Amino acid sequence: MAEENRPAFAAERRERILELVRANGTMSLRDIAVKVRASEVTVRRDVRALEAEGLVDRRRGGAALPGRIGHEQSYAGKSEQCAAEKAAIAASAARLVRPGDAVTIGPGSTAEAFARELASHTDLTVVTNSLRVADALLNAAGVEVVMTGGTLHGPIRALVGGAAEQFLDGLRVNRAFLTGNGVSADRGLSTPNPAVASVDRALAACAEEVIVLADHTKIGADTMVPTVAPEMIAHLVTDNRADPEVLMTLEETGALVHVAVVMDARGQ
């Protein structure tokens, strides 16, 4: 009887995995395993089976919907995902900012959370192309906010295009804080949109060091357009649900990895 039940259970589990990936776009094997109450070994086997059917794409340490490499999710969709993780990452990253710093901050929901953490800082200059970042710092008396020009890219509420890139050309700041849709040891930070990628590169180019903010769903993932090469990432700030093996590969490229502990993981 147990043997007869096993195929049905596997089919149900794989259907649940597919539902999770469809709902989240990308997921790590660890997260899937927790959700379906199975081992990562079992989940990896299930993901291979789903990939063979063309239902998902395997990523290092996770799974994504087919064609996800070029998909740009809406800002509302991203801001609802991993809110606790993004808050923890933002708090950890804020400790890397020093009085008197000039920094660039790119667009993204994690970048917005990071900007909120900077609102209490003093003697700080922030250069950004993100409307959400600027709005988060609107009432920060000790922070001077400088916005690039450019054309509004609605999905992520950011200014892109030649005007934004020209504005950044020749600037010099201490640190660039960037997000993206994937970060891997092979290609570094990446994003699905070429226009966004061009400005991200300009934000990075004017900084003495680049700091990447990425929750666990982005670790090991890869999207269409690379923005920051692996060897150019000085710091990576992520959360404690990221795959440790993938983090080790990123450390081998020279990045100093900071792992923020999510409040729920502390049992609070």
Side-chain angles (χ1 to χ4, degrees):
M1 182 66 70
E3 289 298 321
E4 293 176 357
N5 288 338
R6 286 178 63 184
F9 178 72
E12 291 169 5
R13 188 178 61 246
R14 288 170 187 172
E15 182 62 30
R16 175 59 177 151
I17 290 170
L18 187 56
E19 290 174 359
L20 289 167
V21 175
R22 283 173 174 166
N24 293 279
T26 61
M27 285 191 74
S28 69
L29 293 178
R30 177 180 297 183
D31 286 350
I32 295 172
V34 170
K35 293 290 186 181
V36 302
R37 298 182 181 180
S39 70
E40 288 188 40
V41 172
T42 297
V43 168
R44 185 176 288 106
R45 185 166 57 245
D46 289 338
V47 168
R48 287 198 188 102
L50 291 169
E51 184 183 45
E53 296 180 47
L55 298 173
V56 303
D57 285 344
R58 277 190 297 161
R59 297 282 184 266
R60 179 178 290 181
L65 290 180
R68 201 70 183 179
I69 196 165
H71 174 78
E72 185 175 29
Q73 192 176 10
S74 70
Y75 196 96
K78 289 190 291 186
S79 62
E80 293 171 359
Q81 294 178 7
C82 302
E85 288 87 345
K86 291 172 182 176
I89 289 167
S92 179
R95 291 193 283 272
L96 298 174
V97 178
R98 304 184 182 97
D101 270 356
V103 303
T104 56
I105 304 178
S109 51
T110 308
E112 180 185 357
F114 171 63
R116 288 195 294 269
E117 289 288 333
L118 299 181
S120 60
H121 280 55
T122 57
D123 193 20
L124 177 65
T125 300
V126 171
V127 181
T128 187
N129 67 323
S130 168
L131 301 186
R132 295 278 190 168
V133 166
D135 188 61
L137 295 168
L138 184 63
N139 298 311
V143 182
E144 180 181 3
V145 179
V146 181
M147 292 208 70
T148 70
T151 302
L152 180 62
H153 182 61
I156 59 169
R157 313 292 196 269
L159 299 172
V160 300
E165 294 170 42
Q166 290 170 19
F167 179 89
L168 293 164
D169 186 33
L171 286 185
R172 195 63 178 165
V173 299
N174 302 101
R175 294 166 189 86
F177 292 86
L178 299 176
T179 67
N181 291 58
V183 57
S184 69
D186 295 330
R187 297 180 75 228
L189 187 65
S190 61
T191 185
N193 186 279
V196 174
S198 292
V199 181
D200 280 354
R201 291 191 203 102
L203 290 165
C206 60
E208 294 174 2
E209 63 177 8
V210 177
I211 299 165
V212 170
L213 315 180
D215 68 67
H216 64 279
T217 66
K218 313 298 193 308
I219 301 301
D222 197 7
T223 52
M224 189 168 68
V225 190
T227 56
V228 182
E231 64 272 15
M232 298 302 295
I233 300 173
H235 300 264
L236 168 65
V237 188
T238 187
D239 63 82
N240 58 309
R241 296 175 69 189
D243 188 325
E245 292 184 7
V246 180
L247 293 182
M248 285 179 63
T249 67
L250 287 160
E251 285 181 324
E252 289 170 359
T253 67
L256 180 60
V257 176
H258 306 258
V259 179
V261 179
V262 182
M263 291 297 287
D264 289 346
R266 296 189 185 111
Q268 297 181 10

